[in-house]
Each structure stands twice: as C-alpha cells, then as structure tokens.
Amino acid sequence: MRIALLGGTGDIGQALALRWARDTSHEILVGSRDPERARGKADEYETELASVGVEREVKGFGNEMAADRADVVVLAVPAYHVRDTLASVADRIADADVLVSPAVGMDRDEDGFHYQPPKAGSVTRLVADAAPDGVPVVGAFHNLSADRLANLDVDLDLDTLVVGDDGDAVETVVQLAEGIEGLRALPAGGIANAPEVESMTPLLINLAMENEGMHDVGVQFE
Amino acid sequence: MRIALLGGTGDIGQALALRWARDTSHEILVGSRDPERARGKADEYETELASVGVEREVKGFGNEMAADRADVVVLAVPAYHVRDTLASVADRIADADVLVSPAVGMDRDEDGFHYQPPKAGSVTRLVADAAPDGVPVVGAFHNLSADRLANLDVDLDLDTLVVGDDGDAVETVVQLAEGIEGLRALPAGGIANAPEVESMTPLLINLAMENEGMHDVGVQFE
C-alpha cells in the first residue's frame, strides 16, 4: 500500500515512517506543509534506514500531494493542527481507503497531563465528522512512544488500540500496524469508544514522569 | 495491617480479600451493610482459601464495625454506592491510615462502556472531597479483573495504578498492592490524574468485548 504521513516530519510521523519502511514493503510518503522540509526529512529517514542496513526509498511531498497519492492517509499532526491539516487535503482524499487519526488532545498542569478532548468528544470523532463522505476514519497509534519507535535498535513488544466504525478500514489498519515487528493491534470498538483509547496517552506520560526507567513506557494487554 | 473491605461481599472485594488473605499476613475484615451477609461471605472465603491449602481467618462485620477497626479502609462498592457508604462510616474512620477508592463511574451504550465520572471529576476526587479531614485518600485497583483475581489458580503478572496526594498513603497502598503475588503497583501522580486511571476500566471491558480470549484482560506497562 501507499501510506501518506501528513506531518510526517514530526515525532510520531518519523517513528511510523521508519518502522514501516524497515519492516514492510509499503510505500512511504512523508508529507509536510513545506515540501522542501518533507524531502529533507525523507532523505534523513533513508540515511537512518541505511545505517541499519535497509535500502529503502522514502519520498517527501507537500501534504496535499502526499494525500492525493496515498491509499492510507495518517494525520500525524498535533491535535490542534488536525482540523486545518484535514481541511487542506479534503479534496485530495476522496478515494483513500482509510484516514487514520493518532492525535490526542491534552493539557498539562502541575499534577501532570490530562485528557482534553475537543467538543466532538474525541479527536477521532472530530476527524470522522470532518472527513469527506465515504472515507472511513480509524483511530490508532495513540499510545506509542515516538522515541521508542524511532529508535530502530529497540524491540517493541507493545500493543496499540484501534477504533473505527468501518470493519474493513479497521482491519486494514490492524494489518498495517501488525506489519511493524513487535506491535500487536487490538480493536477496541467503534469511534464512540475513542475517548478511553485516546486518554491512555496522558496516562502513559504521567507514568513516565512518576516512575524511574519508564521514559518511553508503552502498554500490553494480557 | 488490618484491612476493611467495605462492600467486601462484592466481586472486587472478594478478589482482594482472597489474594490478600492468601499472599500476606494482613488481617482481612469483610464489610457489608448486612453483618450476617458479611459473616457468611467471610466463611465462604475461608473455605475457598482452605481449598488451596491456606488456613486463614477472615472476619465479617457490618461496614461501620469493619471500618472502625481497620488501618486501611477500601471502598469496594459500585460507584453509585460510594457516597452513601462513605457517609455511613465517616465517623468511624478518623484514625484510618488511608481510605482506598477502586470504584469507577461508567455507562454503557450499544458501542460499549464509557467513562462517566461524577461531577467532582473522578470517583477518587469525590471520595477525597467527602473523606473526614486528615484521612488521606488513594485511588487504586481500578484496572483489575475481579474474576481473574478471585481465581486463585491464576498467576497475575499485572500492573495496577495508584493515585494520591499524600506520599505516605500512596506508599502504603503500593506496598499493600505488591503484597499480592504477581501484582506491581505504579504511582500515576496526584488525584488530579485519577480520570485517566479510572477511564482504563471501561477501556479494558471494551477490549474484553472486542477480542477473543481477553475475557479477564489486564494491563502491563513496559
């Protein structure tokens, strides 16, 4: 498949790009508002992959162009950019198989991080509401440490949770996720269940802050 | 220590009673609104423990009497009974070391279970607001399957999350939790962080509903 990572120059975009490029044969398109920046980062990812013995082409494009060419579009941008980024590519993704939402709304106070969903109830729901008709939306990859994924020396052995209302789209994302070595994808129900999935992200950050040696903590369900 | 499990005739009360009685030397007081029912259940737990070769006394009392005698008081009742149960024992727990809140507010629709905290923001916060002055409140044991704990044939190998604003009380509960074989307790910050901890419970139920073989699913943070 051809996967566009919009905001693919950011932390989680980089992490997914490197893992998918190393572990699968999917074509990886790194998107950015600035096409030059996307191409620069794509070159960096190629160099990083070569350093672990993987010769793979990673392409960089403006977000619109990346979205236009992709089967799967991942909105790998911070929560406060999701709406704008989606609007900027909406007329390019009508024929995408699936739109993937990994972003989480959070705020921080002196106690730690707290789940702060948009008015729609979750970022996944916000994306589903704003997506073009007929493009199924799936929430996934929220609860993964970008630093841990981006370090290709680290074995993952982690779970990620997947929510969506379209069974085929959920299955596509489960397969994509499980293409990454050491990653298991678990369906957690429909988009109505996204708040509980998204709110694990501030929980993981709080655990990282409160516990020695849990800097890049992830989760396994047993 | 002497631990009172208010509502100790229910699922999570039974689970904790059996594990603590088997794995530690803490004295276990089963509380119920109905003292006769508490005594009956305590006898059942003793029989269950004897069946795995553990001769332990488990006592049953009315909630007030159990609370009065305990160092640690666990509000092992459903979320909608927390306020009434606490009110009924408030004048008995002024000298308790710690009041433990494992309850979670949830509702259910056709998609699954959803986190539904009380107006205070979390059940742990509600308990903290209603607790007598000077009695520290700690949230813990939310994300454990009662069925899995109550089955003494099962090795746990699970984590539970602990939130609280009083460091000594948190440490007491961490030690109590880790007295249970195969259970690791992880501090997740102050009571302000309770919503993210409590909302894992509906998430786990949703995972159990959506995935084969995850009937009693728990969590590990790695």
Side-chain angles (χ1 to χ4, degrees):
Chain A
M1 292 189 121
R2 197 177 275 170
I3 307 173
L5 291 153
L6 310 190
T9 60
D11 288 352
I12 187 68
Q14 169 170 9
L16 291 170
L18 290 173
R19 290 278 167 173
W20 272 323
R22 190 193 67 175
D23 295 345
T24 76
S25 58
H26 300 304
E27 190 176 341
I28 307 301
L29 313 183
V30 173
S32 171
R33 279 180 298 182
D34 175 358
E36 269 311 305
R37 184 168 156 70
R39 278 187 283 273
K41 275 292 191 176
D43 288 348
E44 278 182 33
Y45 301 167
E46 285 183 354
T47 304
E48 172 74 15
L49 289 159
S51 79
V52 295
V54 177
E55 298 295 334
R56 276 293 306 265
E57 186 181 32
V58 180
K59 293 175 185 161
F61 295 101
N63 280 332
E64 298 79 359
M65 183 81 83
D68 196 39
R69 296 179 173 214
D71 306 305
V72 173
V73 176
V74 182
L75 282 162
V77 297
Y80 49 88
H81 279 318
V82 162
R83 198 188 303 259
D84 290 349
T85 304
L86 180 52
S88 74
V89 302
D91 59 349
R92 307 295 190 99
I93 61 174
D95 57 353
D97 292 341
V98 53
L99 181 59
V100 180
S101 176
V104 173
M106 294 183 279
D107 59 16
R108 181 183 188 168
D109 63 18
E110 64 274 18
D111 287 290
F113 283 78
H114 306 290
Y115 183 49
Q116 195 68 41
K119 287 213 177 72
S122 66
V123 174
T124 309
R125 173 67 73 199
L126 181 156
V127 172
D129 289 348
D133 284 350
V135 178
V137 169
V138 170
F141 307 116
H142 308 92
N143 61 313
L144 299 173
S145 157
D147 284 354
R148 185 156 163 183
L149 263 69
N151 182 350
L152 294 174
D153 294 334
V154 173
D155 291 335
L156 295 183
D157 203 12
L158 290 176
D159 291 338
T160 189
L161 302 170
V162 181
V163 287
D165 295 333
D166 180 300
D168 292 341
V170 166
E171 183 55 28
T172 295
V173 175
V174 166
Q175 293 301 326
L176 281 178
E178 297 200 334
I180 294 175
E181 211 172 284
L183 190 61
R184 181 176 65 160
L186 295 174
I191 291 176
N193 296 350
E196 286 75 20
V197 170
E198 295 179 2
S199 69
M200 277 210 62
T201 304
L203 175 64
L204 291 169
I205 299 172
N206 292 339
L207 287 174
M209 291 166 64
E210 297 287 336
N211 295 275
E212 289 282 329
M214 292 203 140
H215 178 59
D216 289 324
V217 65
V219 66
Q220 289 180 330
F221 295 93
E222 307 269 341
Chain B
M1 290 188 121
R2 197 177 274 171
I3 306 172
L5 291 153
L6 310 190
T9 58
D11 288 352
I12 188 66
Q14 170 170 10
L16 291 169
L18 289 172
R19 291 277 168 174
W20 272 323
R22 191 194 65 173
D23 295 345
T24 76
S25 57
H26 300 304
E27 191 176 341
I28 307 301
L29 312 183
V30 173
S32 169
R33 279 179 299 182
D34 175 357
E36 270 309 307
R37 182 164 158 72
R39 279 187 281 274
K41 276 290 189 176
D43 288 346
E44 277 182 35
Y45 302 166
E46 286 183 353
T47 305
E48 172 72 16
L49 288 159
S51 79
V52 294
V54 177
E55 298 296 335
R56 277 294 304 264
E57 185 181 29
V58 180
K59 293 176 184 159
F61 296 101
N63 280 331
E64 297 80 357
M65 184 80 83
D68 196 38
R69 296 179 173 214
D71 306 305
V72 173
V73 175
V74 182
L75 281 163
V77 297
Y80 50 87
H81 279 319
V82 162
R83 198 187 303 260
D84 290 350
T85 304
L86 179 52
S88 75
V89 301
D91 60 348
R92 308 294 190 102
I93 61 174
D95 58 351
D97 292 341
V98 53
L99 181 58
V100 181
S101 175
V104 174
M106 293 184 278
D107 59 16
R108 181 183 190 168
D109 62 19
E110 63 274 18
D111 287 291
F113 282 79
H114 306 290
Y115 184 49
Q116 195 68 42
K119 286 213 178 71
S122 66
V123 174
T124 309
R125 173 68 72 197
L126 182 155
V127 172
D129 289 347
D133 284 350
V135 178
V137 170
V138 170
F141 307 115
H142 308 93
N143 60 312
L144 299 174
S145 158
D147 285 354
R148 185 155 162 183
L149 263 69
N151 182 349
L152 294 173
D153 295 333
V154 173
D155 291 335
L156 294 184
D157 202 12
L158 289 175
D159 291 338
T160 188
L161 302 170
V162 181
V163 287
D165 295 333
D166 180 302
D168 291 342
V170 166
E171 183 55 27
T172 296
V173 174
V174 166
Q175 294 299 328
L176 280 178
E178 298 199 336
I180 294 176
E181 211 172 286
L183 190 61
R184 180 176 67 159
L186 296 173
I191 291 177
N193 297 349
E196 286 75 21
V197 170
E198 295 180 2
S199 68
M200 277 211 60
T201 303
L203 175 63
L204 291 169
I205 300 173
N206 292 338
L207 287 174
M209 290 167 64
E210 298 286 337
N211 296 276
E212 291 279 330
M214 292 201 139
H215 178 60
D216 290 325
V217 65
V219 66
Q220 288 180 328
F221 296 91
E222 305 270 341

